Amino acid sequence: MLNGITGSVEPDIAPDTFEVIGRILKARSGFTLDGYKDKCVKRRIHIRVRATHSPTPEAYGELLTQSTAEQDHLLRVLTIHVSHFFRNPTVFEKLGTEILPQLLERGDQVRVLSVGCAGGEEPYTLALLMKERFPAAVDAGRVTILGVDVDNIILEQAREAVYHPDRLAEVPPQLLERHFTPEGGRYRLGNEVRSQVLFEHADLNHRQGWDPCDLILCRNVLIYFERERQETILNSFADALSPGGYLVLGKAETLFGTARKRFRTICPVERIYRAL
């Protein structure tokens, strides 16, 4: 997913150059710039302009046409992932004490979708939560968790589930000891939790729909899309959620437009909404 990067004001990238860069990326990986906010994307392109010592964005565009390695570098910058386990712990406490128990009580299966899952920290946090608080449901195969992201490389890292300690700062010590194994200065998540989560590639610019689910987390992803695309994505979530299913957004995100009429606010502080 795209995350904000701060920096100084850079000279604008000419429309022709921006279009060329977009075409190159789409041909290279299928990744499209359509729908993403121009300012966010252009800031990230300028990171690579500076890193390659290109005198102008136009010169960088020429470099990009000639170098597949640089194309891969730019893709990594555009889909940079910064996440950690139990990010915003109060959200997971609300899920663990109120939302997940309700979902488990009302049906045989609980289907969870983590959108913009980065290196797997969020869906694995949910898997840890389920394993610790609802082990019988997990052992009975009643819980499925799917993490999706636009970056195939980061998804492979998510499947490996090896993390630097700074990604685990919010993990309670007893969970760290029980479910992680030290490995060369990092920590590997145990198979018992890893096996609960599946990962899949998804580009929100092109995704037309989702499989039915009961809980969707899409935190700090929508803010990087233009408003019209945000509304389309939110409506696709409403289509996928079962009646009474839950949507969790990021702290800087909210419902609006036609999507607002399809949810009821459950917890405005934690941005939790229930599908009507």
Side-chain angles (χ1 to χ4, degrees):
M1 71 182 186
L2 292 174
N3 290 296
I5 290 180
T6 58
S8 58
V9 176
E10 302 280 2
D12 196 16
I13 299 174
D16 288 350
T17 301
F18 191 73
E19 183 180 346
V20 167
I21 291 172
R23 286 204 306 268
I24 293 169
L25 295 179
K26 187 172 183 178
R28 176 67 174 166
S29 70
F31 179 80
T32 175
L33 300 179
D34 298 340
Y36 289 111
K37 292 181 179 177
D38 280 1
K39 288 183 180 179
C40 175
V41 172
K42 288 178 178 178
R43 279 201 304 271
R44 295 190 171 210
I45 292 173
H46 275 296
I47 290 173
R48 292 308 305 166
V49 172
R50 294 193 300 272
T52 57
H53 304 289
S54 299
T56 64
E58 289 73 25
Y60 177 73
E62 289 294 326
L63 169 65
L64 204 63
T65 62
Q66 301 166 18
S67 172
T68 56
E70 181 54 34
Q71 292 166 22
D72 291 340
H73 279 304
L74 180 58
L75 282 165
R76 296 291 297 149
V77 169
L78 289 172
T79 58
I80 193 168
H81 302 80
V82 179
S83 187
H84 56 269
F85 282 75
F86 290 95
R87 180 166 53 101
N88 303 124
T90 53
V91 172
F92 291 100
E93 183 60 25
K94 189 83 171 177
L95 291 174
T97 57
E98 298 182 29
I99 305 303
L100 291 171
Q102 289 179 23
L103 293 176
L104 286 166
E105 285 175 8
R106 76 177 197 177
D108 291 334
Q109 293 290 320
V110 175
R111 301 155 298 183
V112 182
L113 174 65
S114 172
V115 180
C117 68
E121 293 89 344
E122 181 174 87
Y124 283 140
T125 297
L126 289 164
L128 282 168
L129 196 62
M130 297 298 299
K131 186 63 179 175
E132 288 292 317
R133 300 198 183 192
F134 314 103
V138 172
D139 293 343
R142 294 181 56 202
V143 181
T144 60
I145 303 172
L146 175 65
V148 302
D149 202 276
V150 71
D151 186 341
N152 279 311
I153 295 176
I154 204 73
L155 288 174
E156 285 302 316
Q157 295 175 13
R159 294 182 183 102
E160 287 294 314
V162 179
Y163 298 96
H164 190 276
D166 63 5
R167 301 295 177 96
L168 306 172
E170 299 283 355
V171 177
Q174 66 273 21
L175 296 192
L176 187 65
E177 183 177 352
R178 191 150 54 234
H179 295 290
F180 292 85
T181 303
E183 188 175 289
R186 296 174 179 262
Y187 289 84
R188 181 181 293 276
L189 181 62
N191 287 333
E192 199 172 25
V193 175
R194 288 169 60 192
S195 63
Q196 293 183 55
V197 183
L198 296 176
F199 293 97
E200 181 181 294
H201 177 268
D203 184 343
L204 292 183
N205 266 315
H206 299 295
R207 189 77 180 220
Q208 298 301 313
W210 305 94
D211 291 337
C213 49
D214 304 293
L215 171 63
I216 298 176
L217 289 87
C218 183
R219 301 191 297 156
N220 304 321
V221 178
L222 295 177
I223 54 175
Y224 300 103
F225 288 90
E226 298 291 354
R227 189 175 178 87
E228 182 179 353
R229 188 61 193 164
Q230 288 184 31
E231 188 171 3
T232 298
I233 294 168
L234 288 168
N235 276 303
S236 75
F237 292 158
D239 291 338
L241 283 167
S242 58
Y246 292 90
L247 171 66
V248 184
L249 299 179
K251 295 298 180 93
E253 299 163 330
T254 189
L255 298 173
F256 63 91
T258 56
R260 182 183 296 174
K261 301 176 182 178
R262 305 186 65 183
F263 292 91
R264 179 165 63 90
T265 301
I266 298 300
C267 181
V269 174
E270 305 299 350
R271 299 295 196 270
I272 301 175
Y273 307 91
R274 193 170 191 179
L276 298 175

